[in-house]
Structures are given as structure tokens and as C-alpha cells.
Amino acid sequence: MRSSTLRLLALLAGFVAGSPACAQDIEPRAYSNAPVGVNFLIAGYAYTVGAVPFDSSLPIRNAAMRTSNAVLAYARVLDLAGMSAKFDAILPYSWLSGHAELLGQPIERIVDGLADPRFRLSVNLHGAPALSLREFSEYQQDLIVGVSLQVSAPAGQYDPTRVVNLGSNRWSFKPEVGVSKVFGRWTLESQAAVTVFTDNRDFYGGNRRQQAPIYSLQGHAIYNFPAGIWASLDATYFTGGRTTLDGVEASDLQRNWRLGATLALPVDLHNSVKIYASRGVASRTGNDYDLIGIAWQYRWGGGL
């Protein structure tokens, strides 16, 4: 029973991402199993410095922006036709300040408010059946294959007279497929996704801004320590996202690499803490930023 409890702690710790960014997310353990009916409440804080993390394709250069981000999230594990699934919602509130160049001219921005909320449904198609807490005590992960769809809604702060905002004034949709495989104490994961965008019809003075899809790959090497602690080394690459403004295509095709690390520390069966950081290591358009964050997670229900 003790081993199953430790395994449950390891799987539940850091079950939901708390990052304020979107296109450049790095999220280990996005596809894992947990007992049906378990709820998660997450409160976190993330700090970024560099480019604007909410929209990596803004037409600005030499950005020196700083953001502080409070993140509140909720998730629930579901039984979807016998497969384990998860619904989560993330609501960020951000403070942004800094300067950049727009068409060679200096600009400054100080603003706070809601960033765009995100909603996601993920389903484990193979290797992670829907289980009760009692059934989960006998579960051993091998290979998990899952899919998800994340939707970002245009509900964040947006001023069409400014080029830098916390909200994007458009919808985005991110379908993804993920694979997770256990090798002893190690878990190797990979995710592939594409993010598509609707048009922003009121961009910076009434312009119509379109953006091509962004294609992304993630990889994670996770080591499971005793007592339910785990740590991961993370990497992501994304490309695409060329923008068009009133029919004129920009030279802003993205090819970016980010590296990161995550540490999850269970406190008890109901509480855990996750610390994470990532850094842009290469970009074609100079839109890198550094991020560090911490999240507290409380979980209940499902027999816990």
C-alpha cells in the first residue's frame, strides 16, 4: 500500500501546468493517469523577462519586458468511455512593464489585467484506463498515448491603440498528441502539437492581423525519486507563425528552442509544490524570454 501511495503522490504532483505563456509552453506529465473524480486547485506565480510571453510574433524588436503572473487553475479527472481524461481551466492575471522598438521607434508599456484564459480536454487513448482509487493502487504505467485540445479565449486585457497587450483579441486552438513511456525510475515523454489562430480584426489601429499555424515539439526526461518526488529536464521547439497584416506578409517565421527544468515536491496526499524554469536558447526573430515559476496544488475527491 505504501508503494501505491508514493506512486500516486508522484503522479498527482504537478499534474496541471501553471505557465502564463501559450505557444512556448513546456509541460511534463501532461499525459498520465490518476483516479477518476480527483479535483485539482492550483495557485501559482511566474516571472518572465525578455520578450512578451503572451504573443511571440508581435512586430517589436529589442524587447526588454518584465511580467509578473498570478495563475489560478482547476482540473478534474474524468471517465470518458472507459478512458481516463482530464478537463482543466487556467486563468492568469498579469502585470507587464518594459520597453521595446516598434518600426525603429522606442515604445514603453505598463499594464496589468487578465490574460487570455485557456481550457483543455485531454484523453488517454492507450495505457491509462479510467480507474477508481482502489483500482489505481494496482496500476503500473507502461506506455501511454493521449490526445488533447486546448482553447484560448479572447477575454484578456486588450487595447487596440497599443501593440503590446496581455490579451490577443483572437481565439486559438491547439490539438496535441502525446506519448509517455516508463523505463524503471525514468519516464520519457514527447508531445507534438499545432496551434491555429483566428484573425485579429482590430490590431493596432484597426488593422487585420492573421497568423499561420505554429508547430511545436516537446521532450521530457523525468526521474522519479523516492517519496513521490520527481524532476524533469525539458525541451521544446516550435516553428511557423508567420503573420500577415492587411494582406502584407511579414518576414517573421519563427524557429525557436527552449530548455527548462521542473521539480515536484509532494507535501502530503492533498498538497504539493512545483518549481519550474525555462530559458530561450535560440530564436530566428529575437523573441526569447526567461521564465521562473512556482505553483501550489491542492487535490481532493475521488476517494482521497
Side-chain angles (χ1 to χ4, degrees):
M1 187 66 179
R2 173 176 166 79
S3 62
S4 63
T5 300
L6 293 179
R7 186 169 66 253
L8 179 62
L9 285 172
L11 289 172
L12 295 184
F15 195 62
V16 178
S19 170
C22 186
Q24 303 186 41
D25 278 349
I26 300 181
E27 184 181 359
R29 291 198 183 279
Y31 300 93
S32 58
N33 206 356
V36 171
V38 174
N39 301 279
F40 300 82
L41 181 65
I42 301 93
Y45 170 82
Y47 175 80
T48 75
V49 58
V52 179
F54 315 107
D55 188 344
S56 57
S57 61
L58 290 176
I60 57 176
R61 295 291 181 267
N62 300 320
M65 299 287 180
R66 300 176 184 273
T67 72
S68 291
N69 308 274
V71 181
L72 185 66
Y74 168 78
R76 181 176 174 86
V77 183
L78 309 171
D79 180 343
L80 193 62
M83 300 175 291
S84 66
K86 179 187 67 174
F87 172 79
D88 62 65
I90 300 175
L91 182 64
Y93 190 97
S94 300
W95 295 261
L96 177 147
S97 64
H99 57 85
E101 292 180 4
L102 175 64
L103 300 176
Q105 299 298 314
I107 61 170
E108 186 176 4
R109 189 71 162 115
I110 300 175
V111 64
D112 68 272
L114 290 176
D116 290 341
R118 288 177 283 160
F119 308 91
R120 177 175 55 183
L121 178 65
S122 59
V123 183
N124 293 318
L125 302 176
H126 172 80
L131 301 172
S132 67
L133 183 63
R134 176 187 287 266
E135 293 169 329
F136 189 83
S137 65
E138 304 298 325
Y139 171 76
Q140 294 282 349
Q141 180 185 333
D142 182 21
L143 173 68
I144 292 177
V145 179
V147 294
S148 68
L149 175 64
Q150 184 179 80
V151 178
S152 176
Q157 174 279 334
Y158 186 78
D159 180 351
T161 67
R162 308 297 292 264
V163 71
V164 176
N165 288 286
L166 304 178
S168 60
N169 195 39
R170 62 182 181 179
W171 292 83
S172 71
F173 303 88
K174 183 182 180 182
E176 182 180 82
V177 59
V179 177
S180 176
K181 171 70 174 175
V182 169
F183 299 91
R185 286 194 172 273
W186 288 93
T187 303
L188 300 183
E189 296 181 346
S190 180
Q191 295 136 264
V194 56
T195 305
V196 296
F197 308 91
T198 61
D199 295 352
N200 181 351
R201 298 178 181 271
D202 194 13
F203 178 74
Y204 195 46
N207 297 292
R208 180 176 178 176
R209 183 173 181 248
Q210 300 169 289
Q211 186 168 14
I214 293 178
Y215 303 90
S216 60
L217 290 172
Q218 291 188 47
H220 310 279
I222 303 165
Y223 187 80
N224 299 288
F225 295 93
I229 299 169
W230 60 264
S232 73
L233 296 176
D234 316 303
T236 185
Y237 172 77
F238 63 95
T239 185
R242 191 188 297 272
T243 62
T244 301
L245 192 65
D246 289 338
V248 179
E249 191 175 66
S251 179
D252 58 359
L253 175 70
Q254 300 181 56
R255 294 192 183 101
N256 289 35
W257 278 99
R258 293 185 65 80
L259 298 178
T262 306
L263 176 64
L265 302 168
V267 177
D268 54 33
L269 192 59
H270 296 280
N271 296 274
S272 62
V273 175
K274 184 176 74 171
I275 303 167
Y276 57 98
S278 64
R279 183 169 194 175
V281 294
S283 70
R284 181 177 180 272
T285 55
N287 53 359
D288 285 333
Y289 64 89
D290 298 334
L291 176 148
I292 186 168
I294 185 170
W296 164 81
Q297 183 184 86
Y298 176 74
R299 45 197 175 262
W300 75 97
L304 290 179

